Amino acid sequence: MTLSRTTDLQPRPPRYGLTALLHKRSVQLAAIGWLASNVVVLAVAGDALPFDWPTAAARTPAGHLIDANLALAEVLLLTVLTYRLTRSRTLPNLADRAPERSVAARETLFLLAYGAAGLALGFVLAQLAGWHPFGLHLAGSIYGTHDHVSPAESIAWATYNLLVYAVVPLLFFRRRYSAEALNLRSGNRRADTFLVGVVLLIESLVQIAVLAPGTFDLSPGQLVLGAPLTFTLYLAGAVLPAMIFIYAILIPRFLRLTGSTAATVILGGLTYTALHIWDAWTVFTSPGNAVLSLAFLLLTYFAPGMFKAVLTVRTGNAWVHVWAYHALAPHTLVDAPHMVHVFDLK
């Protein structure tokens, strides 16, 4: 009995790697939230989902869940690969790039309130113009749409998001913080370029295999015009707004406040999900449809948002995710046919 009591009183050895990660409260809560979203869909959806998803109309609710969980698995594998490719690097301490804790808390609350106000204003202005609400995605992105989307709406969406989520926050914070403090400068360009190339290649192959994008069905003339147009509009309307607002400014502050890389990555995923609240396919006409919309927003955007945070935390360079996992794949690769249709390119 004495030996047993002595053993019990000895300090427990520290946990490392996956075991330590799985014991983090933030990771456990994220896993519970993900599982709960799966259960909600199975319980509420019935035989069909209420969303306008032309490119995935043939999939059942269970099929969509399988797709979402496979996408999460891909993100987890890409995360492991990213850690292996960056394991020999001198990793930046992003928390040191944020101000002291009380200032970081005020700035974080201000940014989150500002982002919510930007979403609210984007809803009102777009509705007044007879358009879809301005969120981080243009109507028809990724899933397609049967709704009419005009060139004017596309340009207004990109302009609004660029100004609200990128230009204004960058001007405000750049006066107070250096480019390095805002994750805008590479500390190792060769290593960052290699990481971008590897992730971009894998993600492009996955997108081609899974989504079979219609980009390859475009005529040469449509491709020559449509690909640069898609790249430019989505860079302005989705990629740079997410990069500046979340990964340049908020990520270091999340890390300063939580002291946890895992919690920071999860908060990055949740913030990225929230900025898509006005995706044109969401339906809030009933409690059941609203629950399904929120569940699929999480299932669609949480994992990609986390991986963008992983790339930023591991490199200290918010540009890495732009080229590796956002601007080119999926948007230019997948959404070029949509832009060809919107602008009626021949």
Side-chain angles (χ1 to χ4, degrees):
M1 294 296 294
T2 304
L3 289 176
S4 175
R5 180 173 297 179
T6 302
T7 302
D8 292 340
L9 292 176
Q10 290 177 349
R12 295 179 179 178
R15 298 186 178 100
Y16 297 98
L18 181 61
T19 301
L21 186 65
L22 294 177
H23 278 83
K24 290 185 178 295
R25 181 62 60 85
S26 58
V27 174
Q28 294 171 351
L29 291 175
I32 291 171
W34 184 269
L35 291 174
S37 296
N38 279 262
V39 172
V40 164
V41 171
L42 292 175
V44 177
D47 296 329
L49 295 172
F51 311 135
D52 180 24
W53 282 349
T55 62
R59 299 290 281 170
T60 64
H64 284 296
L65 283 181
I66 292 172
D67 293 342
N69 285 284
L70 288 176
L72 174 63
E74 186 221 353
V75 162
L76 295 178
L77 291 174
L78 284 174
T79 298
V80 172
L81 176 63
T82 298
Y83 269 74
R84 289 190 62 83
L85 292 177
T86 57
R87 67 186 184 278
S88 62
R89 294 179 57 165
T90 300
L91 300 180
N93 188 339
L94 266 59
D96 287 346
R97 297 181 178 183
E100 59 95 10
R101 205 169 188 279
S102 62
V103 176
R106 289 198 300 270
E107 290 179 346
T108 300
L109 290 174
F110 165 76
L111 277 166
L112 295 177
Y114 173 82
L119 288 171
L121 181 61
F123 180 93
V124 172
L125 292 179
Q127 292 291 288
L128 290 175
W131 297 329
H132 301 87
F134 293 153
L136 203 58
H137 272 172
L138 179 67
S141 299
I142 307 296
Y143 293 115
T145 182
H146 290 107
D147 292 346
H148 174 68
V149 181
S150 68
E153 177 179 347
S154 303
I155 294 170
W157 162 79
T159 303
Y160 178 85
N161 281 358
L162 182 66
L163 289 173
V164 171
Y165 300 109
V167 174
V168 172
L170 183 60
L171 289 176
F172 181 85
F173 281 90
R174 189 64 180 86
R175 293 170 57 191
R176 295 162 171 78
Y177 301 99
S178 67
E180 182 180 57
L182 295 175
N183 299 334
L184 298 176
R185 180 175 296 160
S186 174
N188 190 333
R189 291 184 180 180
R190 178 175 295 182
D192 285 351
T193 301
F194 179 72
L195 180 61
V196 166
V198 172
V199 173
L200 177 60
L201 175 62
I202 294 173
E203 180 62 15
S204 298
L205 292 175
V206 169
Q207 295 289 340
I208 292 169
V210 174
L211 297 180
T215 301
F216 300 106
D217 298 326
L218 299 175
S219 69
Q222 290 174 323
L223 192 59
V224 167
L225 295 175
L229 175 63
T230 305
F231 173 81
T232 301
L233 279 177
Y234 278 88
L235 184 70
V239 179
L240 291 179
M243 171 200 166
I244 297 298
F245 189 78
I246 303 174
Y247 302 100
I249 303 176
L250 277 173
I251 288 296
R253 285 151 184 80
F254 286 157
L255 191 54
R256 170 68 78 181
L257 294 175
T258 64
S260 166
T261 299
T264 296
V265 167
I266 290 167
L267 289 173
L270 290 174
T271 308
Y272 186 72
T273 300
L275 288 180
H276 290 85
I277 189 71
W278 300 140
D279 266 24
W281 54 264
T282 56
V283 183
F284 296 101
T285 54
S286 70
N289 288 343
V291 167
L292 287 173
S293 295
L294 293 175
F296 268 99
L297 282 168
L298 185 72
L299 293 169
T300 302
Y301 296 118
F302 178 57
M306 285 199 302
F307 184 58
K308 292 174 173 64
V310 167
L311 290 171
T312 304
V313 169
R314 296 296 291 182
T315 65
N317 181 7
W319 287 103
V320 169
H321 95 266
V322 167
W323 309 122
Y325 193 76
H326 207 180
L328 300 172
H331 283 307
T332 302
L333 180 62
V334 174
D335 287 312
H338 182 43
M339 290 295 96
V340 167
H341 175 73
V342 168
F343 286 85
D344 194 23
L345 300 178
K346 304 301 184 182

